[in-house]
Amino acid sequence: MSDLVIGLTGGIGSGKTTIANMFAEYGVDIIDADIVAREVVAIGSVALAQIAEHFGKDFLLADGNLDRTKLRHRVFANEQDKQWLNALLHPLIRDTMQQQCEAAKSPYCFLVAPLLIENGINKSVDKVLVVDVLPETQISRTVKRDNNTVEQVQKILDAQVTREKRLAHADFVVDNNGTDIELLKPQIEDLHRQFIKLLANK
Ligand code: ADP
């Protein structure tokens, strides 16, 4: 288990994945909530079988994988279904992330979660690193990355905590308003040094 677990968060399109990948180059283990959320419903999982039983087999794609789009639409339209799904998946995702944190071998590790604060995961990490960007930057990068409309991305932003609230939970901040990914490197290097120093003083 790593001696220091750092929660990495930021709104959609803020640059979490980009930044986590840069830390991975330093050999830092990355536990990603989005990846875990897919793993727990992989083909052969108990959760996938439970979903198919509850919602019907037509929520599976021809290859046996979960039809995420269909399920997303269903739970978006029905609060009870949403609660059922969350009650099934949230504890599973939380436990799996915990197991992966325990298996992490690097001196410190990252737990990357877009909804770190919204879901209270910030309480179970040692420090919080927030990727900070202006909402307009978030929107333009996400529109470009996902081929979505501004309205669709704005809706996702509205469902997440505000920039101010997220920053209020930050122990460390990466400023990703720059237009060049290369500009992040000195910040990442500096943070890596600070984390190593924190470990030495633990
Ligand atoms: P998140 O994981 O927070 O949703 P990503 O790391 O996927 O965000 O970044 C969103 C998009 O913006 C990606 O296409 C990424 O390549 C791009 N991006 C991230 N940071 C920068 C930057 N500083 N300059 C330009 N593009 C960036």
Side-chain angles (χ1 to χ4, degrees):
M1 164 118 191
S2 301
D3 289 325
L4 181 67
V5 180
I6 298 169
L8 173 61
T9 194
I12 184 166
S14 56
K16 295 177 294 298
T17 311
T18 307
I19 287 162
N21 288 341
M22 291 171 111
F23 277 102
E25 282 177 27
Y26 287 101
V28 178
D29 286 337
I30 312 288
I31 294 113
D32 186 316
D34 287 343
I35 294 174
V36 172
R38 283 196 288 273
E39 283 173 359
V40 298
V41 292
I43 293 179
S45 65
V46 175
L48 185 62
Q50 284 175 296
I51 290 169
E53 200 186 317
H54 186 84
F55 292 105
K57 285 215 164 44
D58 52 333
F59 279 78
L60 300 180
L61 297 166
D63 65 1
N65 272 300
L66 180 62
D67 189 339
R68 306 182 144 268
T69 312
K70 191 167 177 169
L71 186 63
R72 193 164 48 239
H73 285 136
R74 170 76 174 254
V75 299
F76 198 75
N78 185 317
E79 185 56 34
Q80 224 176 338
D81 285 338
K82 186 176 164 186
Q83 279 178 17
W84 184 89
L85 190 68
N86 284 347
L88 172 73
L89 297 184
H90 282 182
L92 259 179
I93 293 170
R94 204 170 276 255
D95 290 352
T96 308
M97 286 195 309
Q98 178 67 29
Q99 283 161 16
Q100 293 190 0
C101 272
E102 279 164 18
K105 296 225 162 50
S106 52
Y108 71 90
C109 70
F110 272 114
L111 203 163
V112 185
L115 303 178
L116 188 91
I117 290 146
E118 292 85 339
N119 289 342
I121 310 165
N122 56 313
K123 296 186 196 103
S124 51
V125 296
D126 298 308
K127 296 285 175 195
V128 173
L129 171 61
V130 168
V131 184
D132 184 48
V133 284
L134 291 166
E136 47 267 41
T137 310
Q138 257 180 288
I139 294 172
S140 63
R141 283 184 188 156
T142 309
V143 164
K144 200 167 148 202
R145 183 192 62 187
D146 299 344
N147 222 351
N148 275 344
T149 64
V150 171
E151 290 72 27
Q152 281 168 322
V153 179
Q154 184 66 55
K155 260 196 196 145
I156 299 171
L157 245 78
D158 292 344
Q160 300 184 339
V161 291
T162 60
R163 183 182 176 206
E164 291 71 25
K165 187 157 182 210
R166 192 178 289 111
L167 281 172
H169 284 87
D171 297 299
F172 300 91
V173 177
V174 176
D175 176 354
N176 194 20
N177 284 300
T179 48
D180 186 351
I181 289 174
E182 286 299 306
L183 291 174
L184 286 168
K185 282 193 174 155
Q187 289 192 75
I188 305 303
E189 227 178 275
D190 182 50
L191 282 164
H192 178 63
R193 243 183 260 124
Q194 290 191 59
F195 297 148
I196 295 294
K197 212 164 148 189
L198 258 181
L199 278 167
N201 296 332
K202 246 191 150 196

